[in-house]
Amino acid sequence: MWILRIFSSVIFLTSIILSIPLAFDVGGRTCGLAFSLSLASFYFFYSTLRLATPDRSRFRYAVIQMIAWTQWLVIPVLLIWSLNRFSVDSNNSGGWVERTFSGKRAVDVSVRDWVFGHDGLIESATVGSWDKMLRWSTPVFQLSEGFCSLLVIQSAGQMTRWLVNRGGRSDSWMIGLLVLSASVISSSVYFLWRVAQFPEISNVDATLIGVTITCAVFLCAWGIGSGKGNPVESSLLFAYVVLCIYQIFTDYQPSTPTEPMPPPSQSADFPPFPPIIMASYSTLIDILATLPSTIHAVFNFITAAFSTITPSVIISLAYRLFVLYASTRIIPAVRESGARALSQEACLEDTDGAGQLLGLLSWFSPSILVAVYTSLLMQHFATTSGEGGGGEWWISQGGDAGGNVWRWINVGGTMVLYALELYLGKEDIDGPLTGHWKAD
């Protein structure tokens, strides 16, 4: 049933979002990388099994159902295994290459311990290769987000242009879309004002913000004035630029900022509520105190897990997943199928290579989700370490003190690509997406 499928997807996303930062926070950098690698490998094996076995095979159905129903047990088992084997050790210093090939391996009593033991060759090479791959894939994920965002923005512009020019209630659509565009721009200006209040912004940061916003405003005005864009498209582009700037400077803030303790209250000791409400509150506290200690431990564990999540990372993950998924529907629609492809998922049976590639990526979407989320977490830890945001533990465990260079490159590249689209494009009502639609 679709309700069970939605419930299963929500539990899967929640478990992934909670478990990976928890592994980084409790076990350290190597533990988080090992746990994300084990998760990605597990779902890669699961996706490969689904793709390689025939649909009508009873063996395929039995194995896939068994793995699908036991994955809720596999995730905590892999987390416990990673915490037990890869937790932070005071003697573990330096990178994985140093730990593997330096003289520290002389303490091993046999070749087996050197290859298969703790911090051995296989362990260090696998975790180290996963670390390198995630570092190198950060620019790919970042630039792909900008490209997919531009696809979504232009598709939204074509759809709204078709709604206004199809006849009928065109005036109503125009007024409603203008109000929507104004609301998007107003919200973006508010968040831009929030960014301007951050004390960590330097003169260089302020210059970059000014140049970026000026270019974005110029592009929005050019698109509307030339007729090659529209207010919805321009407002969404401006909102995406502000979103990127907000994510850049939000990562400068520590995940758990310290707040001064409030002074003790000097007011009289009167109850804040009537006695009947205070009596009910006291009764509820007494009932909760009588619950088993296991429930208290579970509640404390869930609270601690949620406290490790950084809101900027969750917003980036949600937005990146949205634009990537929307692009898998938009690209086939732009190529040949028109708007009908928006309601169809890409599959391996498609005739064109782009549809087959998107269909293949959709099969391995759980592993891609783990890689994208881990890359965002590593980018956040590297940024907070490089900007003095309380991430010194990341550098001490071999992490890079990175910055937001690729995020700035993504913003600039997206605006350059949009400018090329405006320069080379033509002012037409029926674009490649809406040209297949009927306007009766």
Side-chain angles (χ1 to χ4, degrees):
M1 295 177 61
W2 62 272
I3 298 180
L4 293 178
R5 185 176 303 177
I6 293 177
F7 182 73
S8 176
S9 300
V10 170
I11 294 180
F12 165 72
L13 288 175
T14 305
S15 59
I16 294 298
I17 289 174
L18 290 178
S19 58
I20 295 181
L22 186 64
F24 277 105
D25 185 70
V26 176
R29 179 174 174 272
T30 304
C31 177
L33 289 172
F35 176 63
S36 64
L37 175 60
S38 60
L39 275 181
S41 302
F42 169 74
Y43 284 107
F44 182 83
F45 168 76
Y46 177 55
S47 302
T48 304
L49 183 63
R50 293 178 56 197
L51 187 61
T53 53
D55 295 337
R56 298 181 179 180
S57 174
R58 295 183 177 179
F59 172 77
R60 174 185 185 273
Y61 178 81
V63 173
I64 288 178
Q65 291 297 320
M66 181 183 67
I67 295 177
W69 285 105
T70 57
Q71 63 177 331
W72 319 120
L73 181 62
V74 171
I75 293 177
V77 168
L78 291 177
L79 178 60
I80 295 174
W81 171 78
S82 301
L83 292 174
N84 183 48
R85 184 174 178 85
F86 299 96
S87 294
V88 177
D89 189 357
S90 58
N91 294 326
N92 291 342
S93 59
W96 65 274
V97 177
E98 180 183 355
R99 294 198 309 266
T100 303
F101 297 101
S102 63
K104 298 177 182 180
R105 304 308 307 173
V107 298
D108 296 326
V109 296
S110 64
V111 178
R112 179 180 179 182
D113 293 337
W114 183 78
V115 177
F116 300 101
H118 183 65
D119 285 341
L121 178 62
I122 294 180
E123 175 184 318
S124 301
T126 52
V127 177
S129 301
W130 179 246
D131 181 19
K132 296 292 184 182
M133 190 187 75
L134 290 177
R135 292 184 188 180
W136 294 339
S137 61
T138 297
V140 178
F141 291 149
Q142 198 69 56
L143 298 178
S144 299
E145 176 191 313
F147 177 74
C148 295
S149 299
L150 191 58
L151 282 179
V152 174
I153 290 171
Q154 291 184 319
S155 300
Q158 290 186 14
M159 292 180 184
T160 54
R161 187 182 295 113
W162 176 82
L163 289 173
V164 172
N165 293 278
R166 68 171 183 169
R169 301 180 177 178
S170 58
D171 294 338
S172 301
W173 279 111
M174 183 179 297
I175 294 175
L177 292 174
L178 286 175
V179 172
L180 176 63
S181 302
S183 302
V184 172
I185 293 177
S186 301
S187 302
S188 303
V189 171
Y190 167 74
F191 283 103
L192 189 61
W193 174 80
R194 289 283 304 273
V195 172
Q197 305 302 314
F198 290 165
E200 290 80 4
I201 296 180
S202 62
N203 294 332
V204 177
D205 297 331
T207 303
L208 290 174
I209 293 175
V211 172
T212 304
I213 295 300
T214 302
C215 294
V217 172
F218 174 77
L219 287 177
C220 295
W222 181 19
I224 296 175
S226 63
K228 299 176 182 179
N230 55 26
V232 173
E233 189 173 310
S234 299
S235 63
L236 291 178
L237 176 67
F238 183 77
Y240 177 66
V241 172
V242 174
L243 174 64
C244 293
I245 294 175
Y246 190 79
Q247 290 175 348
I248 289 173
F249 294 101
T250 302
D251 265 346
Y252 282 16
Q253 308 290 332
S255 301
T256 56
T258 58
E259 297 181 356
M261 295 295 295
S265 178
Q266 301 296 330
S267 59
D269 296 330
F270 291 107
F273 294 104
I276 185 173
I277 298 180
M278 294 302 298
S280 303
Y281 173 76
S282 302
T283 304
L284 180 61
I285 294 299
D286 293 338
I287 293 175
L288 293 178
T290 58
L291 293 176
S293 59
T294 305
I295 298 180
H296 289 277
V298 171
F299 177 77
N300 294 332
F301 175 79
I302 295 176
T303 304
F306 274 102
S307 64
T308 60
I309 302 176
T310 305
S312 61
V313 177
I314 298 301
I315 293 174
S316 301
L317 177 65
Y319 178 78
R320 188 168 292 184
L321 292 179
F322 167 73
V323 294
L324 291 177
Y325 178 75
S327 299
T328 60
R329 300 297 186 95
I330 294 173
I331 292 177
V334 173
R335 288 179 61 86
E336 59 180 45
S337 301
R340 292 172 296 177
L342 293 176
S343 59
Q344 302 174 359
E345 293 186 359
C347 59
L348 296 176
E349 286 76 17
D350 291 343
T351 56
D352 59 315
Q356 293 178 355
L357 178 60
L358 294 175
L360 181 63
L361 293 178
S362 65
W363 278 93
F364 296 95
S365 56
S367 299
I368 296 176
L369 169 64
V370 173
V372 169
Y373 187 38
T374 308
S375 176
L376 285 173
L377 288 172
M378 295 176 64
Q379 189 177 7
H380 166 72
F381 293 142
T383 302
T384 53
S385 300
E387 302 297 333
E392 291 79 6
W393 66 274
W394 184 258
I395 301 178
S396 64
Q397 296 179 19
D400 291 336
N404 289 288
V405 177
W406 284 106
R407 287 181 174 177
W408 284 115
I409 294 177
N410 173 46
V411 175
T414 302
M415 290 193 294
V416 169
L417 189 58
Y418 185 72
L420 290 176
E421 289 285 341
L422 293 179
Y423 179 74
L424 301 175
K426 296 184 295 183
E427 182 183 358
D428 57 345
I429 297 177
D430 293 332
L433 180 64
T434 59
H436 300 264
W437 291 10
K438 291 183 178 181
D440 296 332

